Amino acid sequence: MKTIQDLGQAVAQLRKERGLTQATVASQAGITKDLLSRFERGALAEMGSRKLLAVLAVLDAELAVVESGLSGTLDELRRERSGA
């Protein structure tokens, strides 16, 4: 992931895989549903780290920092090869 939009999309996908609604995640993370919705849609330029970590905690996920080029999903590798 290289952008806040990528991160928002990943959170949305994980939330859906967990079968959770935006309202549930937002409530448990202590943020508004509107903020979570805008984050997932890529409509935010910034998401505070405390808020992001709270959302990830609700999703039972964590943020990992890795050097560029050392990690990637199959979808990311396919996009890279196709030039997208």
Side-chain angles (χ1 to χ4, degrees):
M1 281 174 257
K2 296 191 186 254
T3 67
I4 191 81
Q5 289 80 14
D6 293 340
L7 186 55
Q9 290 174 353
V11 165
Q13 181 178 347
L14 186 59
R15 176 185 57 75
K16 291 172 185 175
E17 288 172 4
R18 302 269 196 273
L20 299 170
T21 65
Q22 287 179 335
T24 298
V25 172
S27 174
Q28 291 180 15
I31 62 173
T32 65
K33 179 184 173 287
D34 180 60
L35 178 67
L36 181 59
S37 174
R38 288 186 289 135
F39 173 62
E40 289 185 354
R41 289 182 286 121
L44 288 180
E46 189 74 32
M47 176 76 161
S49 58
R50 289 182 186 177
K51 292 174 185 173
L52 175 58
L53 291 172
V55 169
L56 292 175
V58 172
L59 297 174
D60 196 29
E62 60 185 33
L63 188 62
V65 178
V66 296
E67 285 187 55
S68 294
L70 297 181
S71 177
T73 66
L74 184 56
D75 287 337
E76 289 169 335
L77 295 172
R78 285 181 179 145
R79 280 195 300 270
E80 185 177 306
R81 284 196 167 202
S82 70

